[in-house]
Amino acid sequence: MNESNPAAGALPDYAHLRVERHDAVGLITLHRPQALNALSAALLRELAAALLAFEQEPAIGAIVLTGSERAFAAGADIRELEEKAYIDLFLSDFPNVRGDAWGLLGTLRKPLIAAVAGHCLGGGCELAMACDFILAADTARFGQPEIGIGTMPGAGGTQRLTRAIGKAKAMEMCLSGRTLDAAEAERAGLVSRVLPAAELLDEALRVAARIAAQSQPVAWAIKEAVNVAFETSLAEGLRFERRLFQTTFALDDHREGMRAFVARRAPRFSHR
């Protein structure tokens, strides 16, 4: 993969993230090594800013979110939460705080891939599940251990996890705090693929580059349709899919894609 492209404009400096461009792919790396990338309020605000910047940059077609070899994210920052009371969380609607990543993730149109190695626990597991799919290193471990500190998942752990792996396994994980290794997570349907740790980031960037090379409006429509499948009946989902499919025939990219196929050449999508 190419290094970040200076011609696209200078990237901002963040205290808790590392941000790069790789051609049409945006790469965001969580960077709080001393805390195993625990999700502090400051990190989540920076993550929202970085995601929104890539979302608004026309040259970026897909985004990869990753952490370190030791941890994607080991959970919430417990030191920040220790003294919080119910009224503090209620008034701010924590964790869906306006201006941080939790409030933004459900609105992104561009595909977002989580590349997970090491610990992916609590809020870290919820953050990975909020991405469009997860590529996991063989070192990854997933869990929702909040019950062990007297609380429960609050950013999708009981909801996305249940939809991903089913009631029985999600219930066991949330009630007992048991973690899944990468192989079990793949068998359960939580992750898309498991890769050797040394190959994880390169493969995530390759997959993201392949997605970014497609028609962006079509990629957005596919993402929306798959997400709708989790929230509607089959009949409603099929109707929604059919309407989106029909709209793709209004795109210049549709005509270019089919002409390129007939001519046996690579398509040159304009994202219109």
mmCIF file of all heavy atoms in Angstrom, residues 9-50:
data_model
loop_
_atom_site.group_PDB
_atom_site.id
_atom_site.type_symbol
_atom_site.label_atom_id
_atom_site.label_comp_id
_atom_site.label_asym_id
_atom_site.label_seq_id
_atom_site.Cartn_x
_atom_site.Cartn_y
_atom_site.Cartn_z
ATOM 1 N N GLY A 9 -3.928 16.970 1.184
ATOM 2 C CA GLY A 9 -4.061 17.888 2.306
ATOM 3 C C GLY A 9 -3.475 17.303 3.566
ATOM 4 O O GLY A 9 -3.449 16.092 3.754
ATOM 5 N N ALA A 10 -2.982 18.161 4.431
ATOM 6 C CA ALA A 10 -2.332 17.698 5.657
ATOM 7 C C ALA A 10 -3.352 17.054 6.589
ATOM 8 O O ALA A 10 -4.473 17.527 6.726
ATOM 9 C CB ALA A 10 -1.656 18.874 6.355
ATOM 10 N N LEU A 11 -2.935 15.970 7.209
ATOM 11 C CA LEU A 11 -3.784 15.298 8.188
ATOM 12 C C LEU A 11 -3.561 15.911 9.561
ATOM 13 O O LEU A 11 -2.423 16.241 9.922
ATOM 14 C CB LEU A 11 -3.458 13.802 8.219
ATOM 15 C CG LEU A 11 -3.834 13.040 6.954
ATOM 16 C CD1 LEU A 11 -3.164 11.674 6.938
ATOM 17 C CD2 LEU A 11 -5.336 12.879 6.862
ATOM 18 N N PRO A 12 -4.610 16.067 10.341
ATOM 19 C CA PRO A 12 -4.442 16.671 11.666
ATOM 20 C C PRO A 12 -3.709 15.746 12.624
ATOM 21 O O PRO A 12 -3.685 14.529 12.433
ATOM 22 C CB PRO A 12 -5.893 16.893 12.136
ATOM 23 C CG PRO A 12 -6.689 15.899 11.366
ATOM 24 C CD PRO A 12 -6.012 15.736 10.044
ATOM 25 N N ASP A 13 -3.087 16.330 13.618
ATOM 26 C CA ASP A 13 -2.454 15.556 14.678
ATOM 27 C C ASP A 13 -3.476 15.290 15.776
ATOM 28 O O ASP A 13 -4.245 16.174 16.161
ATOM 29 C CB ASP A 13 -1.269 16.327 15.275
ATOM 30 C CG ASP A 13 -0.112 16.426 14.294
ATOM 31 O OD1 ASP A 13 0.080 15.471 13.512
ATOM 32 O OD2 ASP A 13 0.583 17.455 14.312
ATOM 33 N N TYR A 14 -3.494 14.060 16.272
ATOM 34 C CA TYR A 14 -4.375 13.672 17.363
ATOM 35 C C TYR A 14 -3.527 13.140 18.506
ATOM 36 O O TYR A 14 -2.469 12.539 18.281
ATOM 37 C CB TYR A 14 -5.356 12.589 16.914
ATOM 38 C CG TYR A 14 -6.341 13.035 15.859
ATOM 39 C CD1 TYR A 14 -6.153 12.706 14.524
ATOM 40 C CD2 TYR A 14 -7.477 13.768 16.199
ATOM 41 C CE1 TYR A 14 -7.058 13.090 13.560
ATOM 42 C CE2 TYR A 14 -8.388 14.156 15.240
ATOM 43 C CZ TYR A 14 -8.181 13.823 13.919
ATOM 44 O OH TYR A 14 -9.084 14.211 12.957
ATOM 45 N N ALA A 15 -3.999 13.314 19.712
ATOM 46 C CA ALA A 15 -3.268 12.811 20.878
ATOM 47 C C ALA A 15 -3.413 11.308 21.042
ATOM 48 O O ALA A 15 -2.489 10.635 21.510
ATOM 49 C CB ALA A 15 -3.754 13.530 22.145
ATOM 50 N N HIS A 16 -4.570 10.753 20.634
ATOM 51 C CA HIS A 16 -4.869 9.353 20.930
ATOM 52 C C HIS A 16 -5.127 8.505 19.687
ATOM 53 O O HIS A 16 -5.591 7.371 19.800
ATOM 54 C CB HIS A 16 -6.087 9.270 21.852
ATOM 55 C CG HIS A 16 -5.934 10.075 23.102
ATOM 56 N ND1 HIS A 16 -4.915 9.870 24.007
ATOM 57 C CD2 HIS A 16 -6.666 11.116 23.594
ATOM 58 C CE1 HIS A 16 -5.030 10.725 25.007
ATOM 59 N NE2 HIS A 16 -6.072 11.494 24.775
ATOM 60 N N LEU A 17 -4.845 9.060 18.516
ATOM 61 C CA LEU A 17 -5.031 8.345 17.258
ATOM 62 C C LEU A 17 -3.825 8.566 16.359
ATOM 63 O O LEU A 17 -3.117 9.562 16.481
ATOM 64 C CB LEU A 17 -6.259 8.862 16.496
ATOM 65 C CG LEU A 17 -7.623 8.916 17.164
ATOM 66 C CD1 LEU A 17 -8.623 9.567 16.216
ATOM 67 C CD2 LEU A 17 -8.090 7.519 17.552
ATOM 68 N N ARG A 18 -3.630 7.648 15.431
ATOM 69 C CA ARG A 18 -2.732 7.840 14.298
ATOM 70 C C ARG A 18 -3.592 7.718 13.040
ATOM 71 O O ARG A 18 -4.329 6.744 12.896
ATOM 72 C CB ARG A 18 -1.622 6.796 14.285
ATOM 73 C CG ARG A 18 -0.723 6.842 15.517
ATOM 74 C CD ARG A 18 0.154 8.087 15.506
ATOM 75 N NE ARG A 18 1.039 8.140 16.664
ATOM 76 C CZ ARG A 18 0.768 8.784 17.797
ATOM 77 N NH1 ARG A 18 -0.401 9.422 17.925
ATOM 78 N NH2 ARG A 18 1.627 8.807 18.778
ATOM 79 N N VAL A 19 -3.512 8.706 12.151
ATOM 80 C CA VAL A 19 -4.384 8.757 10.989
ATOM 81 C C VAL A 19 -3.536 8.851 9.724
ATOM 82 O O VAL A 19 -2.615 9.663 9.656
ATOM 83 C CB VAL A 19 -5.358 9.953 11.077
ATOM 84 C CG1 VAL A 19 -6.252 10.023 9.852
ATOM 85 C CG2 VAL A 19 -6.219 9.839 12.335
ATOM 86 N N GLU A 20 -3.851 8.018 8.738
ATOM 87 C CA GLU A 20 -3.117 7.995 7.478
ATOM 88 C C GLU A 20 -4.086 7.836 6.315
ATOM 89 O O GLU A 20 -5.197 7.330 6.485
ATOM 90 C CB GLU A 20 -2.138 6.803 7.431
ATOM 91 C CG GLU A 20 -1.156 6.724 8.562
ATOM 92 C CD GLU A 20 -0.440 5.383 8.576
ATOM 93 O OE1 GLU A 20 -0.263 4.777 7.489
ATOM 94 O OE2 GLU A 20 -0.073 4.923 9.678
ATOM 95 N N ARG A 21 -3.623 8.245 5.123
ATOM 96 C CA ARG A 21 -4.317 7.928 3.883
ATOM 97 C C ARG A 21 -3.485 6.911 3.113
ATOM 98 O O ARG A 21 -2.271 7.063 2.996
ATOM 99 C CB ARG A 21 -4.502 9.162 3.001
ATOM 100 C CG ARG A 21 -5.424 10.227 3.548
ATOM 101 C CD ARG A 21 -5.655 11.279 2.465
ATOM 102 N NE ARG A 21 -6.303 12.464 2.999
ATOM 103 C CZ ARG A 21 -5.647 13.530 3.466
ATOM 104 N NH1 ARG A 21 -4.329 13.536 3.459
ATOM 105 N NH2 ARG A 21 -6.296 14.574 3.933
ATOM 106 N N HIS A 22 -4.138 5.901 2.582
ATOM 107 C CA HIS A 22 -3.508 4.945 1.677
ATOM 108 C C HIS A 22 -4.321 4.960 0.391
ATOM 109 O O HIS A 22 -5.292 4.216 0.257
ATOM 110 C CB HIS A 22 -3.475 3.549 2.303
ATOM 111 C CG HIS A 22 -2.577 3.434 3.492
ATOM 112 N ND1 HIS A 22 -1.333 2.852 3.444
ATOM 113 C CD2 HIS A 22 -2.739 3.865 4.774
ATOM 114 C CE1 HIS A 22 -0.765 2.905 4.639
ATOM 115 N NE2 HIS A 22 -1.606 3.518 5.464
ATOM 116 N N ASP A 23 -3.934 5.856 -0.525
ATOM 117 C CA ASP A 23 -4.716 6.086 -1.745
ATOM 118 C C ASP A 23 -6.160 6.412 -1.358
ATOM 119 O O ASP A 23 -6.394 7.423 -0.705
ATOM 120 C CB ASP A 23 -4.614 4.887 -2.682
ATOM 121 C CG ASP A 23 -3.185 4.704 -3.216
ATOM 122 O OD1 ASP A 23 -2.487 5.712 -3.358
ATOM 123 O OD2 ASP A 23 -2.791 3.561 -3.461
ATOM 124 N N ALA A 24 -7.123 5.566 -1.725
ATOM 125 C CA ALA A 24 -8.532 5.865 -1.455
ATOM 126 C C ALA A 24 -9.021 5.288 -0.144
ATOM 127 O O ALA A 24 -10.220 5.265 0.113
ATOM 128 C CB ALA A 24 -9.397 5.347 -2.601
ATOM 129 N N VAL A 25 -8.108 4.846 0.709
ATOM 130 C CA VAL A 25 -8.467 4.240 1.995
ATOM 131 C C VAL A 25 -7.962 5.112 3.134
ATOM 132 O O VAL A 25 -6.802 5.538 3.142
ATOM 133 C CB VAL A 25 -7.864 2.823 2.120
ATOM 134 C CG1 VAL A 25 -8.134 2.239 3.509
ATOM 135 C CG2 VAL A 25 -8.422 1.912 1.040
ATOM 136 N N GLY A 26 -8.834 5.381 4.090
ATOM 137 C CA GLY A 26 -8.437 6.067 5.309
ATOM 138 C C GLY A 26 -8.136 5.047 6.400
ATOM 139 O O GLY A 26 -8.908 4.106 6.594
ATOM 140 N N LEU A 27 -7.020 5.217 7.087
ATOM 141 C CA LEU A 27 -6.618 4.306 8.165
ATOM 142 C C LEU A 27 -6.571 5.083 9.474
ATOM 143 O O LEU A 27 -5.875 6.098 9.578
ATOM 144 C CB LEU A 27 -5.247 3.686 7.877
ATOM 145 C CG LEU A 27 -4.631 2.853 9.001
ATOM 146 C CD1 LEU A 27 -5.489 1.638 9.336
ATOM 147 C CD2 LEU A 27 -3.207 2.430 8.637
ATOM 148 N N ILE A 28 -7.329 4.601 10.466
ATOM 149 C CA ILE A 28 -7.333 5.196 11.806
ATOM 150 C C ILE A 28 -6.841 4.141 12.780
ATOM 151 O O ILE A 28 -7.397 3.049 12.859
ATOM 152 C CB ILE A 28 -8.744 5.665 12.206
ATOM 153 C CG1 ILE A 28 -9.278 6.696 11.206
ATOM 154 C CG2 ILE A 28 -8.733 6.240 13.624
ATOM 155 C CD1 ILE A 28 -10.739 7.066 11.442
ATOM 156 N N THR A 29 -5.798 4.469 13.537
ATOM 157 C CA THR A 29 -5.228 3.553 14.526
ATOM 158 C C THR A 29 -5.426 4.132 15.918
ATOM 159 O O THR A 29 -4.953 5.255 16.204
ATOM 160 C CB THR A 29 -3.724 3.325 14.271
ATOM 161 O OG1 THR A 29 -3.534 2.847 12.937
ATOM 162 C CG2 THR A 29 -3.153 2.313 15.249
ATOM 163 N N LEU A 30 -6.132 3.419 16.779
ATOM 164 C CA LEU A 30 -6.268 3.846 18.174
ATOM 165 C C LEU A 30 -4.891 3.793 18.823
ATOM 166 O O LEU A 30 -4.142 2.822 18.647
ATOM 167 C CB LEU A 30 -7.235 2.923 18.919
ATOM 168 C CG LEU A 30 -8.620 2.737 18.284
ATOM 169 C CD1 LEU A 30 -9.469 1.802 19.141
ATOM 170 C CD2 LEU A 30 -9.328 4.064 18.093
ATOM 171 N N HIS A 31 -4.549 4.829 19.599
ATOM 172 C CA HIS A 31 -3.178 4.912 20.105
ATOM 173 C C HIS A 31 -3.158 5.456 21.539
ATOM 174 O O HIS A 31 -2.840 6.614 21.787
ATOM 175 C CB HIS A 31 -2.324 5.796 19.191
ATOM 176 C CG HIS A 31 -0.868 5.785 19.535
ATOM 177 N ND1 HIS A 31 -0.057 4.679 19.346
ATOM 178 C CD2 HIS A 31 -0.070 6.733 20.063
ATOM 179 C CE1 HIS A 31 1.177 4.952 19.736
ATOM 180 N NE2 HIS A 31 1.187 6.203 20.184
ATOM 181 N N ARG A 32 -3.535 4.581 22.462
ATOM 182 C CA ARG A 32 -3.307 4.834 23.888
ATOM 183 C C ARG A 32 -2.589 3.605 24.448
ATOM 184 O O ARG A 32 -3.162 2.828 25.223
ATOM 185 C CB ARG A 32 -4.619 5.051 24.650
ATOM 186 C CG ARG A 32 -5.353 6.327 24.355
ATOM 187 C CD ARG A 32 -6.506 6.503 25.349
ATOM 188 N NE ARG A 32 -6.037 6.865 26.669
ATOM 189 C CZ ARG A 32 -6.701 6.641 27.808
ATOM 190 N NH1 ARG A 32 -7.862 6.008 27.781
ATOM 191 N NH2 ARG A 32 -6.197 7.002 28.976
ATOM 192 N N PRO A 33 -1.341 3.393 24.051
ATOM 193 C CA PRO A 33 -0.673 2.126 24.383
ATOM 194 C C PRO A 33 -0.557 1.870 25.871
ATOM 195 O O PRO A 33 -0.612 0.719 26.315
ATOM 196 C CB PRO A 33 0.706 2.277 23.725
ATOM 197 C CG PRO A 33 0.889 3.746 23.518
ATOM 198 C CD PRO A 33 -0.475 4.294 23.276
ATOM 199 N N GLN A 34 -0.426 2.933 26.656
ATOM 200 C CA GLN A 34 -0.275 2.757 28.100
ATOM 201 C C GLN A 34 -1.562 2.257 28.748
ATOM 202 O O GLN A 34 -1.544 1.747 29.873
ATOM 203 C CB GLN A 34 0.167 4.081 28.759
ATOM 204 C CG GLN A 34 -0.913 5.144 28.894
ATOM 205 C CD GLN A 34 -1.303 5.833 27.585
ATOM 206 O OE1 GLN A 34 -0.740 5.567 26.531
ATOM 207 N NE2 GLN A 34 -2.264 6.740 27.670
ATOM 208 N N ALA A 35 -2.696 2.373 28.049
ATOM 209 C CA ALA A 35 -3.990 1.967 28.597
ATOM 210 C C ALA A 35 -4.670 0.920 27.726
ATOM 211 O O ALA A 35 -5.883 0.736 27.824
ATOM 212 C CB ALA A 35 -4.893 3.188 28.738
ATOM 213 N N LEU A 36 -3.897 0.207 26.893
ATOM 214 C CA LEU A 36 -4.459 -0.802 25.988
ATOM 215 C C LEU A 36 -5.622 -0.233 25.176
ATOM 216 O O LEU A 36 -6.626 -0.889 24.937
ATOM 217 C CB LEU A 36 -4.902 -2.053 26.765
ATOM 218 C CG LEU A 36 -3.790 -2.868 27.442
ATOM 219 C CD1 LEU A 36 -4.384 -4.053 28.188
ATOM 220 C CD2 LEU A 36 -2.762 -3.337 26.421
ATOM 221 N N ASN A 37 -5.445 1.025 24.760
ATOM 222 C CA ASN A 37 -6.441 1.712 23.926
ATOM 223 C C ASN A 37 -7.814 1.822 24.576
ATOM 224 O O ASN A 37 -8.845 1.813 23.887
ATOM 225 C CB ASN A 37 -6.561 1.039 22.551
ATOM 226 C CG ASN A 37 -5.302 1.176 21.732
ATOM 227 O OD1 ASN A 37 -4.542 2.128 21.892
ATOM 228 N ND2 ASN A 37 -5.054 0.214 20.865
ATOM 229 N N ALA A 38 -7.848 1.922 25.902
ATOM 230 C CA ALA A 38 -9.118 2.141 26.590
ATOM 231 C C ALA A 38 -9.803 3.381 26.024
ATOM 232 O O ALA A 38 -9.158 4.382 25.701
ATOM 233 C CB ALA A 38 -8.887 2.301 28.091
ATOM 234 N N LEU A 39 -11.120 3.304 25.908
ATOM 235 C CA LEU A 39 -11.886 4.320 25.196
ATOM 236 C C LEU A 39 -12.235 5.482 26.109
ATOM 237 O O LEU A 39 -13.331 5.570 26.663
ATOM 238 C CB LEU A 39 -13.148 3.686 24.606
ATOM 239 C CG LEU A 39 -12.897 2.509 23.656
ATOM 240 C CD1 LEU A 39 -14.229 1.907 23.196
ATOM 241 C CD2 LEU A 39 -12.060 2.927 22.461
ATOM 242 N N SER A 40 -11.312 6.394 26.246
ATOM 243 C CA SER A 40 -11.550 7.600 27.038
ATOM 244 C C SER A 40 -12.449 8.555 26.263
ATOM 245 O O SER A 40 -12.619 8.434 25.043
ATOM 246 C CB SER A 40 -10.224 8.290 27.348
ATOM 247 O OG SER A 40 -9.625 8.767 26.146
ATOM 248 N N ALA A 41 -12.983 9.542 26.969
ATOM 249 C CA ALA A 41 -13.824 10.544 26.312
ATOM 250 C C ALA A 41 -13.030 11.298 25.257
ATOM 251 O O ALA A 41 -13.534 11.592 24.172
ATOM 252 C CB ALA A 41 -14.390 11.502 27.356
ATOM 253 N N ALA A 42 -11.769 11.605 25.558
ATOM 254 C CA ALA A 42 -10.943 12.337 24.600
ATOM 255 C C ALA A 42 -10.688 11.510 23.349
ATOM 256 O O ALA A 42 -10.746 12.022 22.221
ATOM 257 C CB ALA A 42 -9.617 12.740 25.252
ATOM 258 N N LEU A 43 -10.407 10.225 23.516
ATOM 259 C CA LEU A 43 -10.192 9.363 22.360
ATOM 260 C C LEU A 43 -11.455 9.292 21.503
ATOM 261 O O LEU A 43 -11.382 9.370 20.271
ATOM 262 C CB LEU A 43 -9.769 7.964 22.806
ATOM 263 C CG LEU A 43 -9.445 6.942 21.700
ATOM 264 C CD1 LEU A 43 -8.421 5.932 22.189
ATOM 265 C CD2 LEU A 43 -10.676 6.210 21.192
ATOM 266 N N LEU A 44 -12.618 9.139 22.128
ATOM 267 C CA LEU A 44 -13.860 9.017 21.370
ATOM 268 C C LEU A 44 -14.197 10.304 20.624
ATOM 269 O O LEU A 44 -14.739 10.259 19.517
ATOM 270 C CB LEU A 44 -14.996 8.612 22.304
ATOM 271 C CG LEU A 44 -14.919 7.175 22.824
ATOM 272 C CD1 LEU A 44 -15.906 6.958 23.964
ATOM 273 C CD2 LEU A 44 -15.180 6.171 21.696
ATOM 274 N N ARG A 45 -13.860 11.447 21.205
ATOM 275 C CA ARG A 45 -14.072 12.715 20.489
ATOM 276 C C ARG A 45 -13.145 12.790 19.277
ATOM 277 O O ARG A 45 -13.565 13.206 18.185
ATOM 278 C CB ARG A 45 -13.847 13.900 21.419
ATOM 279 C CG ARG A 45 -14.980 14.134 22.416
ATOM 280 C CD ARG A 45 -14.855 15.493 23.087
ATOM 281 N NE ARG A 45 -13.639 15.605 23.876
ATOM 282 C CZ ARG A 45 -13.547 15.278 25.173
ATOM 283 N NH1 ARG A 45 -14.608 14.797 25.812
ATOM 284 N NH2 ARG A 45 -12.418 15.429 25.823
ATOM 285 N N GLU A 46 -11.893 12.413 19.462
ATOM 286 C CA GLU A 46 -10.957 12.432 18.339
ATOM 287 C C GLU A 46 -11.371 11.439 17.262
ATOM 288 O O GLU A 46 -11.270 11.734 16.065
ATOM 289 C CB GLU A 46 -9.545 12.106 18.834
ATOM 290 C CG GLU A 46 -8.913 13.208 19.663
ATOM 291 C CD GLU A 46 -7.459 12.943 19.992
ATOM 292 O OE1 GLU A 46 -6.955 11.837 19.683
ATOM 293 O OE2 GLU A 46 -6.814 13.840 20.548
ATOM 294 N N LEU A 47 -11.837 10.274 17.679
ATOM 295 C CA LEU A 47 -12.272 9.273 16.714
ATOM 296 C C LEU A 47 -13.436 9.798 15.883
ATOM 297 O O LEU A 47 -13.483 9.595 14.661
ATOM 298 C CB LEU A 47 -12.651 7.978 17.434
ATOM 299 C CG LEU A 47 -13.140 6.828 16.545
ATOM 300 C CD1 LEU A 47 -12.118 6.481 15.474
ATOM 301 C CD2 LEU A 47 -13.466 5.603 17.406
ATOM 302 N N ALA A 48 -14.367 10.471 16.514
ATOM 303 C CA ALA A 48 -15.489 11.060 15.770
ATOM 304 C C ALA A 48 -14.976 12.065 14.745
ATOM 305 O O ALA A 48 -15.433 12.080 13.593
ATOM 306 C CB ALA A 48 -16.469 11.726 16.730
ATOM 307 N N ALA A 49 -14.032 12.896 15.137
ATOM 308 C CA ALA A 49 -13.499 13.903 14.223
ATOM 309 C C ALA A 49 -12.789 13.251 13.043
ATOM 310 O O ALA A 49 -12.948 13.673 11.888
ATOM 311 C CB ALA A 49 -12.547 14.832 14.976
ATOM 312 N N ALA A 50 -11.999 12.199 13.310
ATOM 313 C CA ALA A 50 -11.261 11.535 12.243
ATOM 314 C C ALA A 50 -12.210 10.800 11.290
ATOM 315 O O ALA A 50 -12.037 10.848 10.066
ATOM 316 C CB ALA A 50 -10.245 10.561 12.838
#
